[in-house]
Amino acid sequence: MKIAVIGGAGVRTVIFINGLLKRYKKLHIDEVVLYDIQEEKQKIIEKLCKHVVERNHEDLKVWAVSDPVEAITGADYIVTTLRVGGDHSRVVDETIALDLGVIGQETTGVGGFSMAVRTIPVLIEYCELIKKYAPDAWIFNFTNPSGLVTQALRSAGYDKIIGICDAPSSTKFRMAHDLGVEEDDLYVEFFGLNHLSWIRSVKKKGEEILPELLADDAFLQGVQEFSMFDPELLRSIGFLPNEYLYYYYHREKALENIKKSGATRGKTIENVNIQMMDELKHMDIDADPEGALQIFLYYMQVRENSYMSIESGLAKRPLLEKGQLEVPDGMGYAGVMLDCIEGMQSEKGKYLVLSVENNGSIPGLADEDVIETTCLVSKDGIHPVKVKEVPEHCYLLIRLIKMYEKLTVEAVKNKSKETAVQALMLHPLVNSYSLAKQLVDKYDEVYGGIFR
C-alpha cells in the first residue's frame, strides 16, 4: 500500500516516518511518497527521512516527487498537511489581529479564519486530483484549522476525508503517564469541535474516575494541558478541557501574555525554522546524515518547548544538547493516522478522537456538521459515540463556532467579504461587527484580494 503526503516538506514528516517504521509491515504499507511545492526544503526532509529508515535497518521506501499527480496516483492513504503562504503568513495573521486588539492564534479565531480562507481553495484543487487519480483513497487532513478545513471539504462533496489532530491523543498520553497506567487501560471520551472540545468521561480499567480527577489539584497541575486553567473553573464546568479552550476561558490572560512576550508563537516558529534550515542547507547531509538529524531534532525540541508557553505564561522545559536526542516515536498526528488505519483494518476496532460528520452524535447539530469526538473505528466503519446530553454552556459555544465555520466556508465558496464579516462577527474572540470588518478588509488587502 502507498501513502502520499501532500505538504511533505513539513518538519513533522521526519517524525511521521519514524512512527510509521514500527507499524508499516503490520499495516501493509510499502512506500511513502512526499510532495511539496518547496522543492529545496523537501530534498532536505527526504534525506532525513531516508536516514531515519536506514538507521533502523528497515526497508520502507520513502521518496519525493515534484509532480502532485505522481504522488497521488495509486495512493491508498493521503495526508494533507499544508501551510499556504508559508511560515511568514502565520506571523502576518497574528500581527494584524494583535494590532486590532484580538488574539490571532492560527486555529482559534482570527488567525484560523485567515489561514482557512487561503487554504480551502488550494485543498479543493488537490481533492479534485485525488478524486481523479486515487478515487478510493482515504484522506487524512492535518492542515489547520483542521476542523474548519475538514468541514469545507466535506461540504464540497469529498466524503472519504477525516480530520486529525494530535491534541486529544497527547492529552490522553500525559494523563496515563500521570496516573501511572498504560494508555490501553484508560478510556478518555471527548466531544465538541476541533480545538473546542471537552472530556466528559475518563475510565480506568472500566471504572469512571472523572469526578475524582476534577477534585485532585495535584493531577490538574501535573498534566500540562490542564495546568493552565483555574481548577475551580474546571470543577464548575464538570469536564476536563481541550487546551485551546484557554483562549476562551482565560482570554484576557492569553492576550496579555502574548503582548508581554514581545513575539507571537508564529514568529517564534518562523525563527526556529529559518535557523534550522540555514544550518541544514550549509552542511553535507549525505556525508553526515546523523549530524543533520541531530540538528533537526534540536530545533524540533526548541519548537515544541515553546508550545503554549507564550500564551499561558508557563515556564519552558530545559533543552537537551545535540547528539543526545532521539527521534520522537511519532505519537502526534502520525500516531492518530496510523491508529485509524489499524482500526480500519481490524474486526475489534479502536477508540480514537477524530473530526468526522456528526451523524446524530451530538443532539441539535446537523448530521453533516463536522465535529471532533471519540469514534469506534473498525472494518465496519467510523462510528462516533452518542452524546446523549450536552450542558447548555458547551452547546451554545459549539453552535456558535459551528455557525462561524459554516459561514466561513460559504464566504470562501462565494468569494463574499460580506459573509466573511458575518462569520468573524459571530466569533467570541472578535464579537464585533466593526472589528470583523476591519480584520476582513486588512487580510483581503495583505493577501491581494482573497475575496475577489
Side-chain angles (χ1 to χ4, degrees):
M1 289 187 171
K2 172 181 175 181
I3 294 176
V5 182
I6 308 299
V11 293
R12 291 198 185 196
T13 304
V14 179
I15 299 169
F16 169 72
I17 294 298
N18 191 60
L20 182 56
L21 290 179
K22 296 177 176 62
R23 290 197 269 178
Y24 74 103
K25 291 179 180 176
K26 180 180 179 181
L27 300 178
H28 312 291
I29 305 298
D30 306 301
E31 60 178 321
V32 180
V33 182
L34 312 178
Y35 166 76
D36 203 294
I37 61 172
Q38 300 179 78
E39 293 192 18
E40 183 182 23
K41 185 179 178 184
Q42 180 168 266
K43 286 178 182 177
I44 291 172
I45 296 298
E46 178 189 16
K47 288 180 179 181
L48 293 175
C49 289
K50 287 183 173 180
H51 175 60
V52 166
V53 174
E54 290 167 2
R55 78 201 290 261
N56 284 280
H57 309 292
E58 298 290 351
D59 57 3
L60 176 68
K61 183 180 179 184
V62 180
W63 51 297
V65 298
S66 58
D67 178 9
V69 172
E70 185 179 359
I72 290 165
T73 300
D76 299 279
Y77 306 105
I78 298 171
V79 181
T80 54
T81 174
L82 310 179
R83 183 172 294 284
V84 177
D87 290 330
H88 191 64
S89 64
R90 179 175 181 178
V91 181
V92 171
D93 291 345
E94 293 174 344
T95 303
I96 288 173
L98 287 173
D99 286 346
L100 288 168
V102 296
I103 295 170
Q105 204 275 337
E106 70 161 342
T107 64
T108 304
V110 179
F113 165 83
S114 180
M115 187 169 181
V117 169
R118 294 194 308 276
T119 302
I120 291 167
V122 175
L123 270 176
I124 285 177
E125 290 180 10
Y126 283 122
C127 284
E128 281 297 298
L129 291 178
I130 293 168
K131 186 165 70 173
K132 183 175 181 180
Y133 295 103
D136 297 323
W138 276 98
I139 304 169
F140 294 91
N141 176 56
F142 187 64
T143 300
N144 278 323
S146 179
L148 199 167
V149 169
T150 303
Q151 179 72 67
L153 299 178
R154 281 280 188 174
S155 298
Y158 307 106
D159 58 355
K160 295 192 74 174
I161 181 163
I162 301 164
I164 57 175
C165 176
D166 53 4
S169 61
S170 297
T171 299
K172 181 184 176 183
F173 171 81
R174 279 186 269 272
M175 289 173 67
H177 181 266
D178 188 88
L179 294 168
V181 299
E182 296 294 326
E183 278 194 82
D184 288 345
D185 291 330
L186 201 65
Y187 173 79
V188 182
E189 187 174 303
F190 288 78
F191 78 98
L193 308 178
N194 177 240
H195 288 185
L196 191 95
S197 61
W198 296 263
I199 296 172
R200 65 190 296 268
S201 175
V202 182
K203 293 179 180 177
K204 184 171 69 173
K205 298 183 178 180
E207 179 184 352
E208 182 61 59
I209 60 170
L210 179 59
E212 64 186 73
L213 295 181
L214 287 167
D216 186 347
D217 282 350
F219 170 79
L220 297 177
Q221 285 300 308
V223 177
Q224 176 184 315
E225 287 84 347
F226 310 142
S227 63
M228 298 178 285
F229 296 87
D230 187 323
E232 291 305 313
L233 164 69
L234 305 188
R235 286 191 269 270
S236 70
I237 64 176
F239 296 133
L240 292 169
N242 181 296
E243 60 198 318
Y244 285 84
L245 283 166
Y246 183 82
Y247 294 106
Y248 298 90
Y249 291 151
H250 295 295
R251 179 178 60 182
E252 79 291 347
K253 289 184 179 180
L255 185 57
E256 185 60 27
N257 286 333
I258 293 169
K259 287 180 176 179
K260 283 194 304 186
S261 73
T264 65
R265 164 79 172 162
K267 186 61 179 175
T268 302
I269 295 299
E270 182 183 38
N271 289 340
V272 168
N273 286 346
I274 288 172
Q275 292 170 25
M276 177 178 71
M277 295 311 296
D278 186 61
E279 281 198 44
L280 291 172
K281 285 175 184 176
H282 287 90
M283 70 175 298
D284 187 343
I285 297 177
D286 294 324
D288 185 14
E290 184 61 28
L293 181 63
Q294 285 297 316
I295 289 171
F296 166 82
L297 292 173
Y298 176 79
Y299 282 107
M300 285 298 291
Q301 179 189 206
V302 174
R303 175 190 174 112
E304 293 305 310
N305 196 33
S306 69
Y307 182 67
M308 290 296 285
S309 64
I310 291 173
E311 299 90 337
S312 66
L314 294 176
K316 296 180 181 180
R317 296 175 296 280
L319 297 174
L320 297 175
E321 294 297 323
K322 297 170 191 172
Q324 303 174 19
L325 298 164
E326 290 296 325
V327 187
D329 62 6
M331 178 183 68
Y333 86 83
V336 180
M337 176 192 172
L338 299 175
D339 281 343
C340 194
I341 293 174
E342 186 174 334
M344 289 172 165
Q345 296 180 5
S346 73
E347 298 287 348
K348 182 180 178 182
K350 298 175 75 76
Y351 282 103
L352 302 169
V353 181
L354 305 169
S355 286
V356 295
E357 286 191 333
N358 182 45
N359 288 327
S361 174
I362 297 178
L365 296 184
D367 284 346
E368 64 272 16
D369 286 346
V370 171
I371 63 171
E372 181 178 85
T373 191
T374 298
C375 304
L376 179 60
V377 182
S378 72
K379 283 184 175 180
D380 293 332
I382 299 173
H383 301 287
V385 299
K386 299 297 180 184
V387 182
K388 295 179 181 179
E389 185 178 352
V390 178
E392 193 75 3
H393 66 90
C394 297
Y395 182 65
L396 290 172
L397 193 50
I398 291 170
R399 284 291 304 272
L400 189 58
I401 296 300
K402 181 49 64 179
M403 188 173 181
Y404 147 77
E405 288 185 353
K406 291 164 86 169
L407 283 171
T408 300
V409 171
E410 184 183 333
V412 173
K413 180 180 179 181
N414 298 325
K415 296 184 182 296
S416 170
K417 285 180 71 174
E418 292 77 11
T419 308
V421 171
Q422 290 174 27
L424 266 189
M425 179 180 68
L426 285 175
H427 201 289
L429 299 183
V430 178
N431 198 29
S432 161
Y433 171 80
S434 52
L435 266 179
K437 192 171 188 305
Q438 288 181 77
L439 288 161
V440 171
D441 285 343
K442 191 64 178 176
Y443 287 127
D444 193 49
E445 174 191 339
V446 167
Y447 292 113
I450 51 180
F451 291 108
R452 285 174 283 202

